[in-house]
Amino acid sequence: MTTRPFSRFNLWLLVWFTCAYLVWTVLTLRAGLFAAIDASSDTARLQPDSPAAQIAAAFTLVSHPLVLCVGLMALGIWAWRGKLRHLATASIASGLLSWGAAVLVANSVQRPRPPSPLSTALTYSGYAYPDAHMAVVTAAAAVVITTITTTRRPPIAMLVARLSALAFIVASGLAQWSMNEARISDLVGGMLLGGTVVTAVLFVARVRMLPVMTIRRQASTNRPHGGLCAVIYNPHRMADEMVFRRQIANELAGEHWEAPLWLPTTPDDAGQGMVATALSRGADLVIGAGGDGTIRVIAQSLAGSGVPFGIVPSGTGNLLAKNLGIPLDREDAIRVAVKGRPRAIDLVKLVVDGRSEAAMRFGVMAGIGFDARLMSRTNESLKRLVGSAAYVVSAVPELLVSPHRVEITVDGVRQVRRKAVLTVMGNVASIGGGLELMPDADPTDGRMEMVIGSPTGLFAWARTALQVITRGRAGNSLEQYTGQQMSVRVDEPMPYELDGDTVGEGCLFEAEVDPGALVVMAPLSSASHS
């Protein structure tokens, strides 16, 4: 996969900061080139308890590395809640790594700080070169600039952010210099080291850091696609709806699409009506953002239309996205939704108790009994707090449930009548967390899989879990079936779930593969996976 323009820009910045830091360090510590300038720090500039000294001390305290790292952590939490995973990782790592790197190098160099009449200040501690305070200030300023860029603020906001960040760096340096806490060479060394660390983090985390004019130039030179894109999203899954809308609009504008058609879901309509509106308006692309339930409803409604479906995972499980290699970072997912390659996948049509007029389709899995009760039992607030781990908590009461009798038919041939606890029909392999319940499942092969098992008691469930973890290499407590048509009959009504959402109850479940029913925008290569 070719390097993206923003990756090249980040790499260029990383190389520049690294070389500048190394050259500056040699000229400062070995050549003594800046000795005359640094000598100015041997003279006291502020008197203790003077108004100027108090202002400078207050500023250095507010911009202390610990304060900035806490602020960056808060920014990271906000970004993670908004599904900006790369930005969240970079925000938290940048401050901590910049601080740690500066302290590590300073302890190695052991250059003392200049004499200061304000040596009792909290910020007057440690060795001088490179200045850790300035390193973290630079990293924090860069993260703020990157956040403004990632959230697609208007160009004027980006310009103001850059100027404000530069002013913050300069003010921090002046405050320390005026308090005789660091020499000019110490401050510049800290700034260059902080720039090196933060650009390295942003490059590794693949966070966009393009300047305003570069973004405009990239948008104007991309090959135009045109057409209308309808965006169907669950507003309750958006930590910051306006940021989401700006990111979508910016990506579409860069490819010269029309202004998007915004179609938020409602408590009464999870997406069916929105898809109908999108198709009636002649949408050339539908982007869906939400949890597994919202994505399933949109996929079901788009089945057979041929209109490409771009998925922006915004829930807890995001199983279809994970199985298709769609990034979980929202910015990356939006890029795939707009610029990915169309890929036809199968859906599975399910009829419950012979009600063909109410047939449903799913792309991931349908579970009868155990996992349906598990899904309904799991607390939504706990899911938002700890993610998929919430299912583990809810599973404990279900481990001792007695099995029920089922009759299995595959491609019209009766296979078995037995007692079971777990019955799952699926179209994909992974159930999240690196676990593959049906390792042979492929959403493009025109077939579906079924897993059936009857673990009762903790030891039986442990054997079943081991089989799933080892992908069938340890234990055989689960029976596997493959076919194009399957049916499951139970003796009494059982709850069932589709793609993680409990839908209702039934006794007869008839499933049939609908080959190539849905066109999904997929990553151009495995390198796009998150």
Side-chain angles (χ1 to χ4, degrees), residues 334-368:
I334 291 173
R335 190 173 298 113
V336 170
V338 176
K339 301 179 183 178
R341 62 180 178 88
R343 175 190 181 190
I345 66 168
D346 308 332
L347 294 179
V348 178
K349 178 181 177 182
L350 179 68
V351 175
V352 179
D353 290 340
R355 298 191 297 270
S356 56
E357 73 284 354
M360 295 162 284
R361 286 176 172 81
F362 63 90
V364 181
M365 296 178 185
I368 302 167

Side-chain angles (χ1 to χ4, degrees), residues 38-47 114-117 177-180:
D38 287 344
S40 64
S41 293
D42 294 333
T43 302
R45 278 177 288 275
L46 297 177
Q47 295 299 319
S116 172
W177 178 78
S178 66
M179 293 174 64
N180 293 87

Side-chain angles (χ1 to χ4, degrees), residues 28 40 82 93 280 322 384 436:
T28 299
S40 64
S280 67
K322 290 177 180 177
R384 285 192 291 269
E436 294 187 351

